[in-house]
Every structure is written in structure tokens, then in C-alpha cells.
Amino acid sequence: MPETQFPVVAALRPLIDRGELAGAVTLIADREKILQIDAVGYADLVSKTPMREDTLFWIASTTKPMTAIALMMLVDEGKVRVEAPVEEYLADYAGQQVIVEQTEDRVVLGRPSHPITVHEILSHTSGLPFMSRVEKVIDARSLRESSVTYALSPLLFEPGTRYQYSNAGTNTVGRIVEVISGQSYETFMQERLFDPLGMTETSFYITAEQLPRLAKVYRPSEDKTKLVETPLGQFTYPLDGPGHYPCRGRRVVLGRP
């Protein structure tokens, strides 16, 4: 699409020329329609595959707010209360303990001042760890299985007293969505969010047909002079094979609506 109203491509091209950005797809819309969509740069720097309007991307933890929206739908319907303890919806969390003292050779646990709440797992203030100790890759267990490992993990601090980014907390939100809705997390997201919004290529599972359109992931080299491909080491391979579960939204692929 020609660059008509908004000079987005002109702003991005210098970043691509300097090796700070591989490529991008940008979209500008108002309430009525898409005003402009542009593709610039490369989806694959080695093969020089150009970025296209239908290129797919990992959106990673951007799915966390989507998961929060799913839960808030249930709050609006009167099925979940944000001030309620998580154990009210997930019984495994009853009796969870907190680390009160820790040295190199011992850990002392105690009962927290209050059970973690739905609000605290939404706001990353629950004390849940980033992930449990048994998780090596993040998509190898169902939300039900993962949730149990979080419930068995001691809290890192008193709930509500600190902020610490937690994938485990968002997975717990997803598990509440499953239990209260009676649907799998991915089915709820598909039927209540993706389909109504026309997100036709947003999914937790990438197909063999989609894989060639998936943009490579890059990071700056150590000397900051170029971009180098970053393997998705937290996932089960092959990426389009069996054995994957939705997790923290980290496997969602976002396509153009």
C-alpha cells in the first residue's frame, strides 16, 4: 500500500538500514476502517525474505492483557470477584506458604498474612515465581498441570507487598478462566475474543502452512553492530508438531485481521 497519509515507513527505514530492526508490519485504523497498512524490511534477514502484510509474529507476553480481558469478562458476568482468594476458584492453592527466611543452605516457610487474591495474580503482586522449578520449556504442560506446580511453590514474598513479573500468575489466571467457564482456555479465547474481533490467524498453535510466514526473532549482537537470530528455546520442537499446550499466551501467533 502506498505511503499516503502517515509516514510510518519513512520513520522505520533508518532503523532497518542501521541494523537495529529487521522489519515490521504497521497498521493504522480508526473506529470505522483500516486507514493504512505497510510492510517494510525483512521477515528473514539471511534469506532476504521481505516482510509482507500477511507475515505472522510471535506476540509473546502481549497475550497477558488478553488473558486478563478474558477473566474480566467473567468478572462482568458476576462469576469471578477480583478481591476473592485464588483458592476460592482453585482449591490446590489452599494452604500455600511463603518464604520467610532464606540462606544458601536453608529455607524457612510460613503462612502468609492472607491467601493470594485474583487481583494480585493479575497485577503481578502475588509472590508467585516467574515459573515453577519443574518447568524447563513453557508449553509442555496443560494449564491444569502447571497450576498445580505453582500452588506447590512457596511464595517469594508476602502477597501484595511487592511487584514481580510472573508468568505463573498469568497461567493461574488462565486456569481460573477454564474452571469458571467450563471451557478450555484456548476455546474461551477463540470464541469470546479472537472470533468476535476477526482475528482469523491468531492461535496458540502454528500450522505447517503458516510456518513459512512466521517472522524470525532477532536480538542485537554482543557488539551491537548487527542483529542475530534468537532461537525460541522455551518451546517444544518442532513448533508445528504435537505436544504443545497454551501457556501464558507465549505461543500465540498474530496475523492481520
Side-chain angles (χ1 to χ4, degrees), residues 85-97 111-112 115-116 121 126 128 143-144 146-153 155 168-169 171-173 175-176:
V86 169
E87 65 186 46
E88 184 173 315
Y89 307 108
L90 304 177
D92 291 329
Y93 285 77
Q96 192 170 29
Q97 299 207 311
R111 188 172 295 278
I116 61 173
I121 59 173
S126 66
L128 285 173
L143 285 178
R144 181 181 182 278
S146 295
S147 179
V148 172
T149 72
Y150 309 144
L152 293 173
S153 300
L155 302 175
N171 263 357
T172 303
V173 172
R175 179 58 184 155
I176 293 175

Side-chain angles (χ1 to χ4, degrees), residues 123-142:
S123 60
H124 300 271
T125 58
S126 66
L128 285 173
F130 180 74
M131 57 196 298
S132 71
R133 294 179 63 183
V134 302
E135 290 179 297
K136 304 303 180 185
V137 294
I138 64 175
D139 64 350
R141 290 179 174 80
S142 68

Side-chain angles (χ1 to χ4, degrees), residues 56-155:
L56 301 175
F57 300 87
W58 297 106
I59 60 173
S61 290
T62 302
T63 312
K64 283 184 170 68
M66 295 182 185
T67 305
I69 289 170
L71 184 79
M72 294 309 292
M73 288 178 169
L74 298 175
V75 171
D76 286 346
E77 293 167 4
K79 298 176 181 177
V80 176
R81 297 179 300 115
V82 294
E83 68 273 14
V86 169
E87 65 186 46
E88 184 173 315
Y89 307 108
L90 304 177
D92 291 329
Y93 285 77
Q96 192 170 29
Q97 299 207 311
V98 63
I99 296 174
V100 296
E101 182 183 337
Q102 185 170 12
T103 65
E104 289 186 2
D105 54 5
R106 74 168 188 157
V107 176
V108 178
L109 304 180
R111 188 172 295 278
S113 59
H114 66 269
I116 61 173
T117 66
V118 174
H119 177 270
E120 287 164 345
I121 59 173
L122 283 168
S123 60
H124 300 271
T125 58
S126 66
L128 285 173
F130 180 74
M131 57 196 298
S132 71
R133 294 179 63 183
V134 302
E135 290 179 297
K136 304 303 180 185
V137 294
I138 64 175
D139 64 350
R141 290 179 174 80
S142 68
L143 285 178
R144 181 181 182 278
E145 293 170 327
S146 295
S147 179
V148 172
T149 72
Y150 309 144
L152 293 173
S153 300
L155 302 175

Side-chain angles (χ1 to χ4, degrees), residues 231-245:
L232 298 169
Q234 297 184 67
F235 297 138
T236 302
Y237 282 79
L239 293 173
D240 61 336
H244 298 278
Y245 292 94

